Amino acid sequence: MLLVDTYKQKIEQDDDLKRRIAQSRPHKRLTSRRVFLDLLRKDDILSHGAVTNEFLIKCHLEALGIDNKKKDVHLDSDRRLSLKEALGSMGNDAALACLSDFSPLMFSYFQQLFAQVTNPPIDPFREQIVMSLRCPVGPESNLLDPSADLESRLILEQPVLSLVDMEVIKRTMFKGWHSKTIDITFPVRYGVKGLVPGLDRICCEACAAALDGYQILVLSDRAASKDNVPISSLLAVGAVHQCLIRHRLRMKVIFYEILMSLILTFMKYSIDDTM
């Protein structure tokens, strides 16, 4: 690396440049304020006891009225245990969602129409030296003025959380943080006309929670039932994101989505012969 400083009219060599950047701020002291999810897990176990993903899945299935005595629930472990690399493709040649005769999910209307090659590849396993899924979350400060507040954030090893980790974050009291769960369903009796008021209600609750000092917002459709229709998570997240930006509150909170459909998507149900 070589830096040509036209303002000072000098050339800075690689070692000198790195040394100057390393000594510009107390990086070691700032990074020591980072909090990792493992610390929150240990604190949560001491406060609430240990729970497993299987236990939480069982609780959610019971909430849906699925009797575990009559149905065996098991994860699709064949692919995880076969040690075979998953197959993929460089594109999607399926029919456009807007031309479908069915009712595709909202996600199907957004797709990449070209093959993009990145350098380095987006592969956190084979290219872990130069690429990582680690992401800091939490209220942010000015990115152009690094400070202790900017570094005092929660570090996640990946953006997708397990059920246990989600519960840990919801219950954490790190730095006095509090979480607010927002229901993203609306009564089925309102029909299609209930969608827009439902989104408005979600946005109002999100802004009110941010103003009340909540740092973590959880968008959940677990209240979905025959009487409540879940709003597409894509619409809910996008609406909340834009609303917080308009009211200059986006940097004060982080938000996650808990979708009951995700629990059912990655599971198989084998019906007992007695049913």
Side-chain angles (χ1 to χ4, degrees), residues 216-228:
I216 303 175
L217 303 182
V218 179
L219 307 183
S220 173
D221 68 352
R222 288 183 177 174
S225 64
K226 64 178 182 179
D227 298 321
N228 296 309

Side-chain angles (χ1 to χ4, degrees), residues 42-60:
K42 294 178 181 178
D43 181 70
D44 187 77
I45 291 176
L46 294 176
S47 303
H48 302 91
V51 294
T52 62
N53 284 311
E54 290 74 14
F55 173 77
L56 294 176
I57 290 175
K58 179 181 177 181
C59 294
H60 298 326

Side-chain angles (χ1 to χ4, degrees), residues 51-162:
V51 294
T52 62
N53 284 311
E54 290 74 14
F55 173 77
L56 294 176
I57 290 175
K58 179 181 177 181
C59 294
H60 298 326
L61 292 178
E62 291 177 352
L64 291 175
I66 299 176
D67 190 353
N68 287 284
K69 295 180 180 179
K70 295 184 178 180
K71 291 190 177 183
D72 296 326
V73 182
H74 59 277
L75 297 176
D76 186 7
S77 59
D78 295 338
R79 181 172 297 177
R80 292 188 292 107
L81 300 179
S82 62
L83 301 180
K84 294 182 179 179
E85 185 173 356
L87 299 178
S89 64
M90 290 294 291
N92 183 4
D93 58 354
L96 296 177
C98 60
L99 301 178
S100 175
D101 294 331
F102 302 96
S103 299
L105 296 176
M106 182 67 66
F107 299 94
S108 302
Y109 288 86
F110 302 89
Q111 59 180 327
Q112 184 172 296
L113 298 179
F114 62 94
Q116 179 177 342
V117 179
T118 62
N119 189 14
I122 303 177
D123 189 341
F125 303 105
R126 299 175 183 83
E127 304 291 340
Q128 57 182 338
I129 296 179
V130 293
M131 193 269 166
S132 173
L133 292 179
R134 176 180 292 185
C135 52
V137 298
E140 300 182 40
S141 59
N142 188 358
L143 293 175
L144 301 179
D145 184 20
S147 62
D149 293 335
L150 184 62
E151 292 294 340
S152 301
R153 306 177 71 196
L154 176 61
I155 307 299
L156 301 179
E157 294 300 327
Q158 60 177 0
V160 180
L161 300 176
S162 66

